[in-house]
Amino acid sequence: MDRRSFLKTSALGGSAAAASTLAAPAYAQGRRTLTMVTTWGRGLAGVFDAAQRAADTITTMSDGSLTVEVKAAGELVGAFEVFDAVTSGQADMYHGADYYFVGQHPGYAFFTAVPFGMTAQELANWYYHGGGAGYHDQLGEIFGLKSFLAGNTGAQAGGWFRNEINGPEDFQGLKFRMPGLGGEALGRMGASVQNLPGSEVYQALASGAIDGTEWIGPWADEKAGFQEITQYYYTAGFHEPGAGLSLATNRDVFEELSPAHQKIIETAAAECHQWNLAQFLNNNGAALQRLQAGGVQVLEFPDSVWDAMGAAASETLNQYRSDDLYAEIHDSMKASMQASSGWLTRSEGQYRQQRDRVLG
């Protein structure tokens, strides 16, 4: 599929032409300004920080010759409209979670997270050394994007619930916010799954429009204020064991840039990926302690729920295998995950067990 040619002749391509004044690059004495749209509300802890970090790093590394102007969700386009805004040329780049765009291609889920998928370290191993980046680029070629990982939340929490979850049957009819293929899996368990931008989740939970939500983890969740609404918090989730964030530039725009500017974008994204992961992991422990001190009940799903989640995840992941590129990405990810897990479990995993046993 030649997405770039399609866009030029489609209705979307027509709207892009109408918005050409937004897309026109700004030049001044050899300088250029790129517009970054995001899937994040301004100030959302960690995720908007990652977008701003990448933008600022690009500007600094280029000594201002390449300036990135960040637009939060809703300031230029809506949170879930950033993909089309960049492919059409209405904006130059986006920062977001690529699993929001499984409607464009289900393979995009692997560059954020899939249920029972990779941890943050396993994702990095696959992406940088196991062929993952190449698959990200193959998807980008279809849709006119040049994409890089640019952030990671680490393992995400199972979420906030109004009532305890005692078995798989408790998901029947539950109105729950969860994006991506994890949300599809939860739907197979009987939940009524909602896909809401992060900036809309608090109000939906407070109003009763949803019964529960996952967001990220203790620090970002505390900042979002979910503990003001419900007190049942499940800290381990099946859906996003190491969620990557992405920076994607319109491919035509990227190819117009000098090799030095292209490398600056790539390097800034990689630096942001590591910086953002450390940001989340550094803040989560203290935030969890504060939540518990405030009365939040920290719980774990029973094994029966994990088993049901596993069955639903397998069905969800296998349903797209008729798409050759999806199947290839899935198999590559799984092989890399199994190879990484074997060593990590026997080295770091065993060390952590012994450290906790010895030091208490």
Side-chain angles (χ1 to χ4, degrees), residues 333-351:
M333 179 278 296
K334 187 174 181 180
S336 178
M337 182 174 67
Q338 290 173 337
S340 292
S341 178
W343 170 245
L344 291 173
T345 300
R346 289 167 175 77
S347 55
E348 184 176 317
Q350 179 66 14
Y351 162 73

Side-chain angles (χ1 to χ4, degrees), residues 4 32-37 54 58 66 68 82-83 85-89 91-96 98 108 136-137 139-141 143-150 246-257 261-266 268-269:
R4 301 166 82 181
R32 182 168 186 174
T33 298
L34 303 181
T35 299
M36 175 196 286
V37 291
I58 292 167
L66 192 61
V68 178
V82 302
F83 187 99
V86 175
T87 59
S88 69
D92 299 303
M93 57 174 53
Y94 73 75
H95 187 277
D98 273 352
Y108 271 112
H136 209 184
D137 198 48
L139 287 171
E141 286 183 332
F143 294 97
L145 300 171
K146 183 68 175 179
S147 302
F148 303 99
L149 284 185
S246 294
L247 173 67
T249 303
N250 177 285
R251 206 170 185 96
D252 289 336
V253 170
F254 188 84
E255 291 173 354
E256 290 170 3
L257 300 175
H261 281 171
Q262 291 176 355
K263 194 66 177 178
I264 283 171
I265 292 175
E266 178 184 354

Side-chain angles (χ1 to χ4, degrees), residues 299-337:
L299 304 170
E300 302 295 342
F301 294 121
D303 287 347
S304 61
V305 170
W306 281 102
D307 291 344
M309 289 173 170
S314 294
E315 293 175 4
T316 299
L317 289 170
N318 287 329
Q319 71 176 325
Y320 296 108
R321 290 193 62 84
S322 59
D323 182 283
D324 290 342
L325 180 55
Y326 173 91
E328 194 173 337
I329 296 171
H330 174 273
D331 292 347
S332 173
M333 179 278 296
K334 187 174 181 180
S336 178
M337 182 174 67

Side-chain angles (χ1 to χ4, degrees), residues 22 35-37 71-78 81 85 90-91:
L22 292 171
T35 299
M36 175 196 286
V37 291
K71 299 289 188 182
E75 293 180 359
L76 182 60
V77 296
E81 297 168 2
Q90 184 181 358

Side-chain angles (χ1 to χ4, degrees), residues 160 218 222 227-228 230-231 233 235 284-299:
W160 299 85
E222 179 191 37
Q227 72 279 6
E228 300 167 4
T230 178
Q231 297 289 293
Y233 190 40
T235 52
N284 277 341
L288 183 62
Q289 290 179 343
R290 290 191 298 269
L291 290 172
Q292 289 179 290
V296 171
Q297 296 189 45
V298 174
L299 304 170

Side-chain angles (χ1 to χ4, degrees), residues 123-133 148-150 266 269-271 273-274:
L123 176 60
N125 295 351
W126 174 61
Y127 194 84
Y128 294 114
H129 296 285
F148 303 99
L149 284 185
E266 178 184 354
E271 190 272 347
H273 182 260
Q274 183 61 32

